[in-house]
Each structure stands twice: as C-alpha cells, then as structure tokens.
C-alpha cells in the first residue's frame, strides 16, 4: 500500500516514467510469419485468402463486411492504411510470401504507455497454423520493447473464440463494458483483457518456448501445447 503525505492511499510511484516510443513503420519478422506494413499491394493476396471461407461467419463480430471483390478489398485495406490512429500490418506467410491476414495496433496512448491489438482479421489460411500466435508474439514483443506498460485486447462479449485466443496467450480478463457500442444493428457488450509489463517476461518465455523449432515435428505438429509452457514457467 502506498500512502501520501495526507494519509491517502495512492498508486505506485513512477519517478522515472517516460512516455513510450512511437511505433516504427517497418516489418516484424518471426519464425513462421512476417508482419509487413499493410499496403494496397497486399489486397489481391488477402482477397484470395478471405475468399477461401465457405461463408462470412469469420466477419460476424468485425466492423466491416467481408469484401466481396478485389475492389472492395482494396478499399478495405486503403481505409486502414489511411487511418492515422492505426499501425496496420499484413500477416505474410514466410513460406509463400503471401498475405494471409491483417492486424493493427490501435488506441495508441504513448504518454501513458498503453495500446491495443485490434482489427484482427485472420483468413482460413491461418486456421490450425502457428501464424496467429507468431503474429501476436511479434506485436507484444514490439510494444513492450518500446516501453508500453499495457497492451489491451477487446472483443464482443459473445465472441468467445476471440476471448479464448487472447487468454490462451496470456491476456487477463478485466471485465465487461455493457452496451459499449452498437455494431451491424446489434448491441455489443465489450470484454476487455490485457497484458501488463510486469507479466510480460513470463509470457514471453512461454510463447518463445512454444514457438521454438524444437517444439514442432517435421510435419508441423506441436509436441507440447502452449499451456504446458505456462505451467512449467
């Protein structure tokens, strides 16, 4: 407990705190995927990847509709590229060099050291692969290396897959904002999760261990689940 000169309980002192550094606009390279700054040139590969889905269920909780054509995909990508509040990336498969998804940093508050991972848009080519975990590991590593204290994740409270994906890699559920917004003519309650800097070393070690080449067989099957690395940590 921290008490000030008036006998009041206050937060932990941060005498050396400095604002986090800006996110550089460059690529982040992982073992399985690379995050490249999102560009309209990624549109064709993304359209092809999104088109592999049998229906639109992966877009139910997203703000946008699934692009129905290449021109719609270009417009969707361009909108993210022009949004000054986002740092947007294409997820590129290292083996094919094709974009297979997109993700962004959003709600960036460098003064207070907080940011959010959002606009997570995975294609069917990312399902049952390590790409999603590798991409999120790259983002988290980037944020904490730049001095951010908090990385948040928020999702529709009915999107259980999104919340489970976040909790799987170490995000902690914080609570639900009821009737936080409307989306596609529906109410949306928003679940909030986060990782803070004091938690990151243990989470980083677990993710690094799971993503290591030693944890995968020659045909790409994991030897141990990610949960095992958290328990061993």
């Amino acid at each position: 407990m921290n008490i000030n000169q008036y006998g009041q309980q206050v937060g932990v002192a941060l005498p050396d705190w400095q604002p986090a550094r800006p996110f550089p606009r460059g690529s982040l390279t992982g073992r399985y995927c690379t995050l490249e700054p999102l560009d309209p040139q990624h549109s064709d590969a993304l359209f092809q990847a999104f088109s592999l889905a049998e229906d639109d269920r992966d877009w139910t909780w997203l703000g946008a509709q699934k692009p129905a054509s290449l021109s719609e995909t270009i417009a969707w990508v361009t909108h993210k590229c022009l949004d000054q509040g986002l740092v947007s990336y294409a997820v590129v498969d290292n083996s094919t060099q094709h974009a297979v998804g997109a993700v962004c940093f959003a709600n960036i508050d460098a003064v207070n050291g907080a940011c959010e991972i959002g606009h997570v848009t995975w294609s069917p080519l990312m399902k049952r692969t390590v790409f999603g975990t590798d991409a999120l590991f790259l983002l988290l590593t980037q944020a904490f290396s730049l001095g951010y204290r908090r990385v948040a994740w928020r999702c529709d409270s009915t999107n259980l897959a999104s919340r489970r994906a976040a909790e799987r890699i170490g995000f902690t559920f914080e609570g639900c904002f009821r009737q936080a917004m409307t989306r596609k003519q529906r109410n949306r309650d928003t679940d909030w999760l986060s990782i803070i800097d004091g938690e990151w070393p243990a989470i980083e070690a677990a993710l690094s261990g799971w993503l290591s080449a030693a944890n995968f067989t020659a045909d790409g099957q994991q030897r141990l689940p990610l949960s095992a690395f958290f328990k061993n940590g």
Side-chain angles (χ1 to χ4, degrees):
M1 182 181 298
N2 295 274
I3 305 297
N4 69 6
Q5 67 269 35
Y6 307 112
Q8 298 166 313
Q9 184 175 343
V10 295
V12 174
L14 301 172
D16 300 320
W17 167 249
Q18 296 293 326
R21 300 187 295 282
F23 287 101
R25 303 280 177 161
S27 297
L28 306 173
T29 303
R31 181 179 296 277
Y32 306 99
C33 71
T34 295
L35 300 183
E36 296 181 355
L38 188 63
D39 185 275
Q41 293 184 358
H42 293 115
S43 299
D44 183 63
L46 287 172
F47 174 61
Q48 297 299 326
F50 295 150
S51 296
L52 294 173
E54 296 180 356
D55 52 41
D56 295 350
R57 70 182 61 203
D58 292 337
W59 294 72
T60 296
W61 295 282
L62 297 177
Q65 303 288 348
K66 187 177 81 170
S69 65
L70 177 57
S71 62
E72 287 187 11
T73 307
I74 293 172
W76 179 80
V77 169
T78 300
H79 178 74
K80 292 188 185 302
C81 293
L82 294 176
D83 189 332
Q84 296 300 305
L86 302 177
V87 177
S88 304
Y89 295 97
V91 182
V92 176
D93 179 348
N94 284 348
S95 63
T96 66
Q97 295 301 301
H98 293 157
V100 294
V103 67
C104 303
F105 282 118
N107 293 327
I108 299 165
D109 180 0
V111 171
N112 292 297
C115 66
E116 179 183 330
I117 293 175
H119 300 254
V120 180
T121 314
W122 297 161
S123 78
L125 291 175
M126 294 185 66
K127 293 183 177 180
R128 292 178 293 280
T129 74
V130 299
F131 296 154
T133 303
D134 201 20
L136 296 174
F137 177 64
L138 290 170
L139 292 175
L140 290 165
T141 301
Q142 171 85 312
F144 288 115
S145 69
L146 292 172
Y148 285 84
R149 304 173 61 233
R150 166 187 168 86
V151 179
W153 179 290
R154 63 188 167 106
C155 60
D156 190 310
S157 62
T158 63
N159 189 353
L160 300 182
S162 179
R163 176 171 166 179
R164 288 169 183 156
E167 291 177 326
R168 172 181 171 273
I169 65 169
F171 280 85
T172 295
F173 176 66
E174 296 177 326
C176 176
F177 284 14
R178 299 178 299 164
Q179 296 188 188
M181 61 192 299
T182 63
R183 173 159 287 173
K184 296 179 177 176
Q185 299 298 109
R186 299 189 301 266
N187 173 66
R188 169 170 152 161
D189 296 345
T190 296
D191 283 353
W192 282 90
L193 304 94
S194 71
I195 295 173
I196 57 177
D197 54 358
E199 299 165 342
W200 174 237
I203 294 171
E204 179 183 25
L207 291 173
S208 295
W210 186 79
L211 288 165
S212 69
N215 189 47
F216 288 87
T217 62
D219 60 352
Q221 299 299 309
Q222 66 176 1
R223 299 182 190 277
L224 292 173
L226 180 54
S227 58
F229 290 88
F230 281 105
K231 291 176 181 178
N232 290 340

